[in-house]
Amino acid sequence: MKDIVLGYDGSDFSMQALDWALDEAELRKLPLTVAHAWQWPYGDADEDAKAHLRKAAEHVLWHGAECARSSSSGVRVDTDLYEGPAAQRLVEISGGAELIVVGSRGLSALPRAVVGSVAGYVAAHADCPVIIVRGPGPLPAPTNPGPIVVAGKDPEAAVLEFAFGEAALRQLPIMSPADLTEPAARHPGVRVRPYDGTEHPTLVVVGRKRGATNSLLRHAPCPIAVVGTS
């Protein structure tokens, strides 16, 4: 069974991502793996110093897993602790994941950065769809959620399938400037209508190869799903 993987570092951004990842796990009836990576940043170090940092990393991971377990309704929560770059580990385990969820920035991101290096790297290289959680307030919004929006006028099949899957799980409409006739026929329970830009989306879905991806990651006011295409 595949799992939902959460990249977690204890930041406010990763707490937002935890909320979203747990929601995905509950909707999809899949286990959640909370993943945390650590590494000694100062060159050579004695084992005692590294052991102290590892202990701190274990505490961060424990906190994330406990938050998930205390907030879930029966989701199995596993953990993954890795010594090394976080982006590398998330890409490494993405082949066995249904979905990776990360915050838009982590603890190490510069204050003016909109998308952290981990989120950007994982979105560009993961073997599964990646949701980058950004936007104001707690996510996903519990009341009056907006539509799932498909970016681009000619989205690839994988992008459409993911978007329709999310819309079906969340019982939300899909909006897109593209013609969605064929995938809509395979998902008769999902309402489809043109996107006019007046509603705040719950999620924007985009293909990895589209030139608009980087712009969306910097400016979208809501979570973005990046889906790899052939």
Side-chain angles (χ1 to χ4, degrees), residues 45-135:
D46 60 53
E47 289 306 311
D48 286 344
K50 290 184 69 175
H52 180 75
L53 188 59
R54 179 185 174 88
K55 197 71 176 177
E58 289 173 348
H59 179 75
V60 170
L61 183 60
W62 171 85
H63 178 265
E66 285 304 300
C67 286
R69 292 185 182 112
S70 65
S71 303
S72 71
S73 55
V75 170
R76 192 185 85 208
V77 178
D78 300 319
T79 58
D80 183 273
L81 184 65
Y82 178 74
E83 182 179 357
Q88 175 182 308
R89 180 56 176 166
L90 290 172
V91 170
E92 182 179 296
I93 62 178
S94 66
E98 182 78 10
L99 177 69
I100 289 180
V101 184
V102 292
S104 58
R105 295 207 303 265
L107 289 172
S108 61
L110 295 173
R112 280 184 273 182
V114 178
V115 178
S117 59
V118 171
Y121 185 87
V122 175
H125 295 93
D127 291 327
C128 66
V130 177
I131 291 183
I132 299 170
V133 180
R134 49 169 294 138

Side-chain angles (χ1 to χ4, degrees), residues 13-216:
F13 298 96
S14 69
M15 287 300 294
Q16 280 190 325
L18 187 152
D19 287 344
W20 190 283
L22 195 56
D23 201 49
E24 291 283 351
E26 290 177 346
L27 288 170
R28 297 169 181 265
K29 296 179 171 51
L30 291 175
L32 172 68
T33 296
V34 181
H36 178 64
W38 68 281
Q39 59 186 136
W40 183 259
Y42 307 116
D44 294 336
D46 60 53
E47 289 306 311
D48 286 344
K50 290 184 69 175
H52 180 75
L53 188 59
R54 179 185 174 88
K55 197 71 176 177
E58 289 173 348
H59 179 75
V60 170
L61 183 60
W62 171 85
H63 178 265
E66 285 304 300
C67 286
R69 292 185 182 112
S70 65
S71 303
S72 71
S73 55
V75 170
R76 192 185 85 208
V77 178
D78 300 319
T79 58
D80 183 273
L81 184 65
Y82 178 74
E83 182 179 357
Q88 175 182 308
R89 180 56 176 166
L90 290 172
V91 170
E92 182 179 296
I93 62 178
S94 66
E98 182 78 10
L99 177 69
I100 289 180
V101 184
V102 292
S104 58
R105 295 207 303 265
L107 289 172
S108 61
L110 295 173
R112 280 184 273 182
V114 178
V115 178
S117 59
V118 171
Y121 185 87
V122 175
H125 295 93
D127 291 327
C128 66
V130 177
I131 291 183
I132 299 170
V133 180
R134 49 169 294 138
L139 297 170
T143 58
N144 195 29
I148 305 294
V149 172
V150 181
K153 294 183 178 179
D154 187 25
E156 293 87 345
V159 175
L160 292 175
E161 284 304 313
F162 183 86
F164 271 89
E166 281 289 312
L169 285 172
R170 298 180 179 278
Q171 299 182 19
L172 295 175
I174 275 193
M175 290 186 167
S176 173
D179 180 7
L180 303 181
T181 303
E182 184 177 341
R186 296 195 299 271
H187 300 270
V190 176
R191 291 173 292 144
V192 178
R193 58 183 190 265
Y195 183 58
D196 59 11
T198 62
E199 293 188 62
H200 189 290
T202 289
L203 178 70
V204 173
V205 184
V206 63
R208 180 183 295 162
K209 293 183 179 180
R210 291 207 167 274
T213 302
N214 289 337
S215 177
L216 279 171

